[in-house]
Structure formats: structure tokens, C-alpha cells
Amino acid sequence: RDDGEAAGEFRRYTEMGLRDGKRQAALTVLESLEADPDDVDVVLDEEKAQIWLRALNDVRLALGTRLDITEEWYEEIEDLDPRDPRTPMYAAYDWLTMLQENLVRVLW
């Protein structure tokens, strides 16, 4: 942790694998959604549900970083102007959080 050079080496060897895993998880989610366009229900086995959790978490982390989400974010957005360009991203973050929480509860 305190060795910047070692951390850089570790990242160099692991980053592509992590990116590939995130890309594959996102593709699995998209394939699940495209399986039957006429069917509004998506049925996941436990393996796919775990992949979905990883993908949802990845998107939430990206949005959370972009929005600088803190534990007080609900209070912060109470006064947010609905025309603020961040409003849709906050809504997506909130929806993804709810979806992830519900999926965790189902798997638990």
C-alpha cells in the first residue's frame, strides 16, 4: 500500500482482467435484457444474478464518483433544481441502488 511502484506494477498486471470482467458482466446484463424483447420479466439464475450485482455495482460506482455521492446525498438533492443536468443521474443512481438492494434481498 505504501509502495507506489509496487502498486503500479500490481495495477499493470490486474487492470486488464478487471476491465474484461466488467465488460463481460455488462454484456451479460444486456444479453439478459435482449433475450425476449416481448417479455417484460427477466428471470435470472443465481449465477446471472451475481453477475448482475457486479454490473449494477460498477455502474453505481461510476455514477457515484461522477456525482461525488456522500452518505448525505439524499439531503443534498432535496434542494436540487429539477432542471439541474445532474438530476437524471441522481435518479438513475437511486433506481440502481433500489434494484441492487432488492436483488441482494432475493439472493439472501
Side-chain angles (χ1 to χ4, degrees), residues 68-81:
D68 198 25
I69 294 287
T70 65
E71 290 185 19
E72 296 82 26
W73 77 277
Y74 275 120
E75 292 84 21
E76 294 171 8
I77 63 167
E78 286 178 352
D79 299 324
L80 190 66
D81 186 333

Side-chain angles (χ1 to χ4, degrees), residues 3-100:
D3 185 344
E5 187 176 327
E9 279 293 300
F10 179 77
R11 181 180 179 133
R12 184 168 69 99
Y13 288 112
T14 60
E15 186 172 21
M16 288 308 292
L18 291 172
R19 286 183 185 201
D20 288 343
K22 291 176 187 304
R23 187 178 304 112
Q24 187 57 50
L27 286 171
T28 298
V29 169
L30 291 175
E31 288 168 358
S32 300
L33 294 171
E34 295 171 349
D36 185 356
D38 296 329
D39 192 356
V40 294
D41 293 327
V42 175
V43 179
L44 304 172
D45 59 24
E46 189 165 343
E47 180 183 355
K48 280 194 179 171
Q50 292 293 335
I51 293 169
W52 270 64
L53 283 175
R54 286 195 300 274
L56 291 172
N57 194 55
D58 290 341
V59 175
R60 283 185 64 251
L61 284 172
L63 277 173
T65 300
R66 184 165 182 184
L67 294 169
D68 198 25
I69 294 287
T70 65
E71 290 185 19
E72 296 82 26
W73 77 277
Y74 275 120
E75 292 84 21
E76 294 171 8
I77 63 167
E78 286 178 352
D79 299 324
L80 190 66
D81 186 333
R83 296 171 297 201
D84 187 304
R86 297 171 298 165
T87 300
M89 288 189 289
Y90 278 113
Y93 181 86
D94 192 35
W95 182 78
L96 290 168
T97 301
M98 181 268 316
L99 184 61
Q100 186 178 35

